[in-house]
Amino acid sequence: MKKLKFLHSLKFRLFLLVALVGIIPNVVLRAGILATYEKRAISNRSIDVLGQAKMLGNQVVTYNYMKDTSVEMINAQLEQLSNIYDGRVLIINSSFQIVKDTYGLDTGKIIISEEVVKSFQGEEITKYDSQNRYIELAIPLKNTDTKENQGVMLISVSTDSIMLNYDFLKDNALIVELANAIIILVVSLFWSNRLVRPFGKLTKFLEEMQTEEEKKLMISDYTETEAISNAFNEIQGRMRVIDDSRQEFVSNVSHELKTPITSMKVLADSLLNQEDVPVELYKEFMGDIAEEIERENKIINDLLSLVKMDKAAGNLNVSVVNINELLEMIMKRLRPIAEKQNIELVLESFRPVSAEIDEVKLSLALTNLVENAIKYNKPEGWVHVSLNADHKYFFVRIEDSGIGIPEESLEHIYERFFRVDKSHSKEIGGTGLGLAITRNAVLMHRGAIKAHSKEGEGTIFTVRIPLTYIA
């Protein structure tokens, strides 16, 4: 299979294509020229012999040669015609008897053939036998005055001289064809190498990429290679962004997971290095350690949620859910947190809404938004949640009177581990993954999420989800 692998290469196929395009017309042209030459030469010979035979036939009739074959002038002309064209002439009378044979073999014999019979009926017969290489002509001998058919002149003319010229032309044409074929093969090899050269550059570039630093690909030999270069550079740019994002994500995960562990180790070491530590201090430090463990647990759970959503994209457990009841359940679950911070929590439904959703994932997304609105709010603040729908989508709007988000941070809020106010987030136990989870869940439902906020005045999140899920 490795030996035959070159048959699948573009270079070989281009070589074969160019070679065939060059050689096949040569073969067809040679065959056409030879066939035309043979046909034309036979036609010219037939016309020449027929012309002379007609003139000689008129003289045969004029001198009444069928009754008296001793006319020397006619005999001489018959012999001359036979010698010039390397042929044989038979004069046949009305009784189908051969009165003259230039070969002197069949004089006096009777001859009845299809050509002779048709000629007696007034037809001029011309036939070429390519296998035996001769032209046969049958010419009626008519009296011009009485229109009476007195006999037939049957002529057989050899085409050996024509075929000798044909063979000579064929040999020379073959030599020219072979010479052209060699030139075409060389040209085909040259052009196939030249045409695939850009792909060699592409291969070399990709091989060098493994050892050298990143650089842009630009092979502008053809429009297609230029398009490939542009597409590759675009993909490379996206991969660079993804790689940078991955490295940043790994770095953030490492940092976020390491920080609670470091805090716990410091607290534990402090207790171990002290003697006769009071019980109150033990309780305080153990409480701090428990908080750090809880924070670590939240980060791990949020990371697991993100991983599950990434892997489950397109595998939603979709069912028809009453969105009004879903939001009421979320509000009921979060109301104790709101009351603890004296936050007024209000749900307003403009119409009954049922939609095809994954209840677990969308419930997690909406819970994150409402919980954030509560946690990042001001004392004695409020959170207003509203539900509406049209013929195609339902809309959930979460508005709060909280601390707001700076304008420059709005485009980053869905990034993993991004937190607007890290000190405040740490204080309330934020992991920086909630909005990333929310956005993933919304996008999995073919929906959209938008945020509008003014620092110090509050934030509005609007979620749009199709009523009917389209996979």
Side-chain angles (χ1 to χ4, degrees):
M1 291 301 293
K2 289 183 178 179
K3 292 180 180 179
L4 297 176
K5 191 175 180 181
F6 77 97
L7 296 176
H8 298 281
S9 69
L10 178 62
K11 179 179 177 180
F12 173 76
R13 295 184 181 188
L14 286 172
F15 168 78
L16 189 63
L17 178 63
V18 176
L20 290 177
V21 168
I23 291 173
I24 290 177
N26 266 334
V27 174
V28 174
L29 182 63
R30 179 176 70 91
I33 289 174
L34 291 174
T36 302
Y37 168 78
E38 182 181 12
K39 184 178 179 181
R40 185 68 177 170
I42 296 298
S43 177
N44 289 339
R45 177 65 59 86
S46 299
I47 291 170
D48 290 344
V49 173
L50 183 61
Q52 294 194 36
K54 282 184 176 181
M55 289 188 294
L56 184 57
N58 289 334
Q59 293 182 5
V60 168
V61 174
T62 301
Y63 287 93
N64 201 14
Y65 184 78
M66 260 79 70
K67 293 182 179 179
D68 183 9
T69 58
S70 62
V71 181
E72 289 298 329
M73 183 184 70
I74 302 299
N75 285 330
Q77 289 185 13
L78 290 173
E79 291 294 334
Q80 184 180 14
L81 179 64
S82 178
N83 292 333
I84 290 174
Y85 295 107
D86 190 21
R88 182 182 184 184
V89 181
L90 301 177
I91 304 297
I92 304 165
N93 63 18
S94 57
S95 301
F96 295 96
Q97 184 180 21
I98 300 172
V99 297
K100 176 64 178 179
D101 180 1
T102 54
Y103 279 12
L105 298 176
D106 295 325
T107 303
K109 293 181 179 179
I110 302 298
I111 179 171
I112 300 175
S113 67
E114 182 181 356
E115 290 78 13
V116 172
V117 172
K118 287 183 177 180
S119 188
F120 265 112
Q121 293 173 354
E123 292 184 34
E124 290 181 358
I125 307 297
T126 300
K127 185 177 73 173
Y128 172 54
D129 189 337
S130 59
Q131 186 174 356
N132 296 311
R133 294 189 175 185
Y134 72 87
I135 302 170
E136 187 175 68
L137 297 94
I139 303 165
L141 301 174
K142 291 183 180 180
N143 189 310
T144 55
D145 296 329
T146 62
K147 304 298 181 182
E148 180 187 355
N149 196 346
Q150 297 181 357
V152 172
M153 181 183 292
L154 189 63
I155 306 172
S156 298
V157 177
S158 173
T159 59
D160 287 343
S161 60
I162 293 174
M163 297 315 296
L164 284 173
N165 291 333
Y166 175 85
D167 292 338
F168 176 78
L169 180 62
K170 182 179 180 181
D171 292 340
N172 282 277
L174 182 60
I175 292 171
V176 172
E177 183 182 338
L178 290 174
N180 284 340
I182 293 171
I183 294 171
I184 290 167
L185 290 174
V186 172
V187 171
S188 301
L189 184 60
F190 170 78
W191 276 107
S192 61
N193 280 323
R194 189 177 182 86
L195 290 171
V196 301
R197 190 178 299 167
F199 298 99
K201 293 180 184 177
L202 177 61
T203 304
K204 184 179 179 182
F205 175 85
L206 295 175
E207 289 173 351
E208 290 176 350
M209 273 188 64
Q210 301 175 14
T211 56
E212 297 181 5
E213 61 180 16
E214 279 189 13
K215 56 182 180 180
K216 283 194 173 183
L217 172 65
M218 183 45 66
I219 302 174
S220 55
D221 298 58
Y222 311 122
T223 304
E224 291 77 7
T225 56
E226 188 172 349
I228 291 173
S229 299
N230 292 333
F232 177 84
N233 290 331
E234 186 176 343
I235 293 172
Q236 188 181 40
R238 290 179 184 174
M239 292 300 294
R240 192 184 303 113
V241 170
I242 292 171
D243 189 57
D244 291 343
S245 176
R246 178 185 60 80
Q247 291 181 8
E248 183 182 359
F249 177 72
V250 171
S251 175
N252 289 335
V253 168
S254 302
H255 174 74
E256 293 295 332
L257 292 177
K258 185 178 178 182
T259 301
I261 293 174
T262 303
S263 299
M264 286 186 284
K265 187 175 186 306
V266 169
L267 292 169
D269 287 344
S270 297
L271 291 175
L272 291 172
N273 292 331
Q274 296 182 46
E275 295 181 2
D276 300 326
V277 179
V279 175
E280 293 79 9
L281 188 60
Y282 260 111
K283 288 184 177 180
E284 181 185 345
F285 277 28
M286 291 306 293
D288 292 340
I289 290 173
E291 288 179 4
E292 294 297 333
I293 291 172
E294 180 62 25
R295 183 182 169 201
E296 188 95 356
N297 187 50
K298 285 182 180 179
I299 294 172
I300 292 170
N301 287 335
D302 283 349
L303 283 172
L304 289 174
S305 296
L306 274 175
V307 171
K308 287 178 182 178
M309 284 194 180
D310 286 342
K311 288 185 176 180
N315 295 321
L316 295 178
N317 185 19
V318 176
S319 61
V320 178
V321 176
N322 187 314
I323 306 301
N324 305 74
E325 293 179 359
L326 177 65
L327 284 173
E328 287 174 3
M329 182 182 66
I330 292 171
M331 300 291 277
K332 182 179 179 180
R333 189 187 305 150
L334 296 176
R335 201 171 297 280
I337 300 174
E339 290 174 353
K340 186 177 180 181
Q341 295 183 218
N342 294 321
I343 303 295
E344 182 185 5
L345 196 57
V346 179
L347 172 62
E348 184 179 10
S349 297
F350 290 93
R351 68 191 69 221
V353 179
S354 293
E356 296 177 359
I357 62 166
D358 185 315
E359 184 175 359
V360 174
K361 290 183 175 61
L362 193 60
S363 175
L364 176 61
L366 295 175
T367 299
N368 281 340
L369 291 175
V370 178
E371 188 174 3
N372 282 350
I374 296 171
K375 288 181 177 181
Y376 294 93
N377 216 312
K378 297 175 182 178
E380 308 296 329
W382 51 266
V383 175
H384 183 200
V385 180
S386 63
L387 172 66
N388 206 342
D390 59 18
H391 68 287
K392 193 173 182 181
Y393 301 96
F394 72 86
F395 307 88
V396 178
R397 177 187 171 101
I398 299 100
E399 184 176 0
D400 65 63
S401 60
I403 60 177
I405 302 171
E407 186 177 350
E408 64 273 11
S409 298
L410 274 174
E411 58 181 296
H412 302 290
I413 58 176
Y414 302 111
E415 296 175 7
R416 298 171 183 185
F417 294 111
F418 179 82
R419 285 177 288 193
V420 178
D421 185 347
K422 293 187 178 180
S423 60
H424 191 58
S425 296
K426 185 175 180 181
E427 181 184 328
I428 63 175
T431 64
L433 294 171
L435 287 179
I437 295 171
T438 298
R439 181 174 180 272
N440 275 17
V442 171
L443 293 180
M444 288 172 68
H445 284 82
R446 306 293 187 266
I449 180 170
K450 291 183 179 180
H452 301 279
S453 183
K454 284 187 178 181
E455 194 171 5
E457 296 184 13
T459 304
I460 301 173
F461 277 95
T462 304
V463 176
R464 184 192 72 186
I465 303 291
L467 294 171
T468 304
Y469 177 74
I470 301 175

